[in-house]
Amino acid sequence: MQAGQSSRSRSAKASSRGGLASVARLVKLGRCKNVLVVAGAGISTASGIPDFRTPGTGLYANLEKYNIPYPEAIFNIDYFSNDPQPFFSLAKALYPGRHRPNYIHYFIRMIHHKGLLLRMYTQNIDGLEKLCGIPDDKLVEAHGSFATASCHLCYTPYPSEEAKNAIMNDDVPICTFCAATVKPDVVFFGEDLPQKYFLHTNDFPKADLLIIMGTSLQIEPFASLVNTVRAAVPRLLLNRHAVGPFQKVPLRRGDYMELGNMEDTVRRFAEMLGWSHEIEDLMRSQETGCVPTLMSSLPAVTAQTTCWNTEDSEPQCSMETSKSRPAAPRAASSGSEETDSETDSKSSASSTPSN
């Protein structure tokens, strides 16, 4: 047993060594022009947002005051239907506005500015991807967001600001159509995934590079997305621990992983790509609301300067909520052991939630 574990550890270390350089070389050679990013809560911990499952510090480890039968109940739609108050109490702390995007978010935005981002699929509900400037058409918020609200029973849309004001004032927003409880359009266990999630059926077969960042890859169906790219497509895991298919020894040919502190890893990756100064300039520009001229890696894309009012840069979700949602896969846990800060930012739709 010890020999096997030692061999596994040596293999993991060896597999991570040189992974960033190998992928950076592919990008610089122009072989990666349709990059997919799959991300979880690990990309937001540097912004001061706790993940959901890290023992001791994660959200699920600090819910005793809400008097719920088990941690995931706070995001269970049946439990919410019976008693919405625990979630509303937690939502007051979860609503976007208290935190800012970090270097990792701007690295992903830089992938877009280089003309390389096919799409980003995020489990996060913090809205930081949009806040850093990733366009809505390049972003799939697989587990919803606080930007819109609707009735949890009949799905009738409800003004999001009114819902937020009610929740912040310890009131319960009520649907004007059926009198059921309204909630932000965050996907709960037992709910359908948003329609935009199903863009993956077209996106993943097109990808020529998959970057997986800050996720435990435990919540289905999101976790299985990483297995739907073509076999020859390189996959890069940036995480604190090996997860999902990256736990296998040996790794699949074309799989790379870099384990450790997420922000440090991404900074080294940016340095290898020659993007560091542009990302730093982009982050500084957020203070003034003007984006500096950015170099594109594709000749057809022209660099330009863009300005906006930073007060209007709060995340806005364009996802529509209909009264009748088509059936969608439910999320389920793969049953593997949970990891650190790379865990999922939001539990996916599931009738059988699991850590």
Side-chain angles (χ1 to χ4, degrees):
M1 175 73 74
Q2 290 179 345
Q5 290 175 340
S6 176
S7 172
R8 186 186 187 93
S9 176
R10 285 196 303 271
S11 177
K13 290 178 182 177
S15 65
S16 76
R17 203 161 42 235
L20 288 183
S22 298
V23 176
R25 182 172 179 270
L26 290 174
V27 174
K28 292 170 79 173
L29 288 172
R31 297 184 182 177
C32 303
K33 298 181 179 179
N34 289 291
V35 180
L36 284 176
V37 175
V38 167
I43 73 168
S44 292
T45 54
S47 295
I49 301 175
D51 60 56
F52 279 71
R53 295 177 183 80
T54 297
T57 61
L59 179 66
Y60 285 158
N62 295 278
L63 295 177
E64 297 86 356
K65 61 184 177 181
Y66 298 113
N67 194 30
I68 51 178
Y70 55 93
E72 295 88 345
I74 206 159
F75 290 113
N76 182 284
I77 193 61
D78 294 325
Y79 188 87
F80 175 87
S81 184
N82 180 63
D83 182 10
Q85 205 54 58
F87 169 74
F88 286 154
S89 297
L90 177 64
K92 293 169 72 173
L94 291 180
Y95 260 101
R98 298 184 177 185
H99 303 90
R100 305 296 298 175
N102 61 60
Y103 191 94
I104 303 168
H105 296 100
Y106 286 103
F107 173 82
I108 300 168
R109 181 178 172 185
M110 187 59 63
I111 298 176
H112 164 64
H113 275 290
K114 295 294 180 179
L116 304 178
L117 183 65
L118 175 59
R119 203 97 58 194
M120 178 185 186
Y121 285 74
T122 180
Q123 295 170 288
N124 297 342
I125 57 172
D126 52 41
L128 295 184
E129 296 90 357
K130 285 186 177 178
L131 194 56
C132 83
I134 297 174
D136 185 67
D137 66 333
K138 292 292 182 179
L139 181 65
V140 172
E141 295 171 309
H143 296 162
S145 78
F146 284 93
T148 58
S150 61
C151 174
H152 87 282
L153 192 61
C154 73
Y155 308 119
T156 299
Y158 189 91
S160 58
E161 278 304 310
E162 289 185 25
K164 179 180 179 179
N165 290 338
I167 292 169
M168 291 299 181
N169 289 298
D170 297 318
D171 293 327
V172 176
I174 299 299
C175 176
T176 56
F177 183 76
C178 73
T181 305
V182 167
K183 74 172 185 64
D185 287 330
V186 171
V187 178
F188 276 29
F189 289 111
E191 290 193 297
D192 293 338
L193 296 172
Q195 281 299 300
K196 200 172 181 182
Y197 170 82
F198 298 98
L199 288 172
H200 76 82
T201 58
N202 292 321
D203 286 347
F204 280 73
K206 293 179 184 176
D208 50 27
L209 173 63
L210 175 62
I211 302 176
I212 304 154
M213 313 173 76
T215 173
S216 65
L217 292 182
Q218 290 199 28
I219 301 299
E220 298 290 357
F222 190 93
S224 294
L225 289 178
V226 301
N227 297 319
T228 59
V229 293
R230 290 170 288 122
V233 172
R235 302 186 298 184
L236 174 63
L237 174 70
L238 307 178
N239 234 17
R240 190 171 295 277
H241 299 287
V243 295
F246 293 86
Q247 293 175 303
K248 296 178 181 179
V249 178
L251 286 177
R252 187 192 77 167
R253 186 176 64 173
D255 278 359
Y256 306 90
M257 63 181 176
E258 194 74 22
L259 307 180
N261 181 277
M262 174 82 54
E263 189 171 15
D264 291 345
T265 299
V266 171
R267 286 181 182 275
R268 285 192 290 116
F269 194 20
E271 187 72 35
M272 292 176 184
L273 291 166
W275 297 355
S276 296
H277 294 305
E278 290 178 86
I279 295 174
E280 295 289 352
D281 288 345
L282 184 58
M283 294 179 71
R284 282 193 295 268
S285 74
Q286 291 296 96
E287 299 300 320
T288 60
C290 291
V291 180
T293 300
L294 298 167
M295 302 265 314
S296 170
S297 63
L298 297 180
V301 180
T302 7
Q304 57 182 356
T305 300
T306 306
C307 296
W308 66 85
N309 184 339
T310 51
E311 294 181 356
D312 295 332
S313 60
E314 284 295 329
Q316 296 297 323
C317 182
S318 66
M319 187 186 308
E320 294 184 358
T321 306
S322 61
K323 292 183 180 180
S324 176
R325 294 183 182 175
R330 307 285 188 176
S333 170
S334 65
S336 57
E337 185 180 353
E338 190 55 62
T339 59
D340 279 14
S341 65
E342 64 284 357
T343 51
D344 313 309
S345 169
K346 178 63 194 68
S347 309
S348 160
S350 172
S351 56
T352 55
S354 171
N355 240 9

